[in-house]
Amino acid sequence: MKNLEKLSLLNISKSFFIKDKKIDVLNDVNLDVSPGEFVSIIGPSGCGKSTLLKLIIGLSSQTAGSILLGGHELQYSTHDIGIVFQEARLFPWLSVYKNITFGLENKQLSEDDKNDVQKHIKLVGLESFADAYPSQLSGGMQQRVSIARALISHPKVLLLDEPFGALDAITRIHMQQEITRIWQTEKSTILLVTHDIDEAIFLSDRVIVMSNRPATIKKIIPVELPRPRDRNGYDFLLLRKKIYKEFFDEIEIPFSFNI
Ligand SMILES: Nc1ncnc2c1ncn2[C@@H]1O[C@H](COP(=O)(O)OP(=O)(O)O)[C@@H](O)[C@H]1O
Ligand SMILES: [Mg+2]
């Protein structure tokens, strides 16, 4: 069992400079994600959602504020955080197995490690495809590989940046069921960025609505529906309506839109 810890974003701001023009992207973002919690972030395109995840994984650094895990500044040399992007970003010349083990720092895999790899291949439902190459897999299967690759180093927090955005609607619904099962089995803390409001309600304990850029947290909506969730249930539809309203307040709609 992993020793899960609280992730805290404290007064996070981020600005970019393009030539000498300053672009404020995030403005005073504050969020605590509890150990084992599933939190989704939705917000207008370009508001800074991916930027926020990049700060958490250490691909970029914040202009102000701090990111804590278990009350301590995040150490990027550890494997505490894992990430899955919209595109699977696999190495085409490596098999599923080798793609998953690639990040294990070229160490000689012990029997325990090998068992763990097999366990993760099974966890994402790719037992028959360990020797397949990415070009031999569907988009959904490729995303399963990138999920296994992110989980193999047992991160305390898994970041998902629109991971199902490039998949067709049916595969996406299937992957949403799968990620719920994986989250319940692995007991990770998950922070998901999505533009799909139904996906956010279906998956999360809380939905965070971000404002336009410079983005801050506009609203936090708890989802207290029992799992597995019924997308057509009355309470689900009520929540959808509430979140649509928050979300569409943020973007300009060029036509009359009744929700
Ligand atoms: N490396 C960068 N340099 C300059 N501007 C950037 C950089 N990365 C992102 N941005 C800007 O930050 C804003 C937010 O981008 P992003 O976080 O990708 O948005 P989202 O994921 O919410 O759609 C955009 O205006 C984008 O142009
Ligand atoms: Mg993005």
Side-chain angles (χ1 to χ4, degrees), residues 16-18 23 25 44-52 54 213:
F16 287 109
F17 280 90
I18 296 185
I23 301 174
V25 175
S45 184
C47 78
K49 304 179 294 297
S50 296
T51 300
L52 188 64
K54 282 181 192 150
R213 207 182 60 213

Side-chain angles (χ1 to χ4, degrees), residues 61-253:
S61 47
Q62 61 269 26
T63 310
S66 11
I67 302 175
L68 309 181
L69 190 62
H72 303 284
E73 289 276 346
L74 257 181
Q75 300 298 313
Y76 294 109
S77 51
T78 66
H79 289 288
D80 283 341
I81 314 285
I83 192 162
V84 175
F85 297 99
Q86 181 167 356
E87 333 76 55
R89 300 191 185 187
L90 304 177
F91 297 113
W93 59 89
L94 294 181
S95 66
V96 165
Y97 189 97
K98 289 274 168 65
N99 262 288
I100 293 172
T101 55
F102 186 83
L104 298 178
E105 293 167 3
N106 294 331
K107 68 172 180 174
Q108 197 68 33
L109 296 186
S110 66
E111 279 311 305
D112 279 355
D113 292 333
K114 287 180 188 165
N115 288 339
D116 201 39
V117 176
Q118 292 302 345
K119 198 190 100 192
H120 280 85
I121 290 176
K122 188 155 182 271
L123 180 73
V124 296
L126 289 176
E127 297 96 312
S128 313
F129 292 88
D131 298 322
Y133 288 88
S135 63
Q136 298 171 311
L137 305 177
S138 69
M141 291 159 92
Q142 292 184 17
Q143 268 312 36
R144 288 165 188 269
V145 179
S146 58
I147 292 167
R149 182 179 56 186
L151 289 173
I152 195 69
S153 40
H154 299 276
K156 291 178 178 165
V157 179
L158 179 64
L159 307 176
L160 303 171
D161 193 357
E162 306 207 24
F164 313 135
L167 304 178
D168 64 87
I170 304 290
T171 310
R172 198 157 69 213
I173 286 178
H174 187 53
M175 289 300 290
Q176 289 164 3
Q177 289 160 342
E178 288 291 278
I179 204 73
T180 303
R181 178 183 61 78
I182 290 168
W183 169 64
Q184 287 170 337
T185 313
E186 280 285 294
K187 312 226 182 315
S188 280
T189 306
I190 296 189
L191 191 54
L192 166 80
V193 164
T194 178
H195 59 261
D196 181 335
I197 293 172
D198 278 27
E199 179 169 288
I201 303 171
F202 184 76
L203 293 174
S204 350
D205 296 317
R206 285 186 297 157
V207 179
I208 313 292
V209 182
M210 302 207 55
S211 71
N212 273 313
R213 207 182 60 213
T216 193
I217 292 177
K218 184 183 173 198
K219 191 96 179 175
I220 298 183
I221 297 155
V223 184
E224 280 154 356
L225 308 176
R227 293 180 173 90
R229 291 176 174 164
D230 173 6
R231 292 166 204 266
N232 297 308
Y234 181 71
D235 293 337
F236 197 106
L237 299 178
L238 270 186
L239 262 179
R240 178 195 289 162
K241 192 168 178 183
K242 183 172 172 184
I243 296 174
Y244 261 78
K245 191 169 176 336
E246 293 294 341
F247 188 65
F248 284 105
D249 270 357
E250 282 303 318
I251 60 174
E252 278 184 34
I253 304 168

Side-chain angles (χ1 to χ4, degrees), residues 8-13 28-32 62 64-68:
S8 305
L9 310 178
L10 298 176
N11 310 109
I12 298 291
S13 296
D28 200 24
V29 173
N30 286 282
L31 178 67
D32 276 344
Q62 61 269 26
S66 11
I67 302 175
L68 309 181

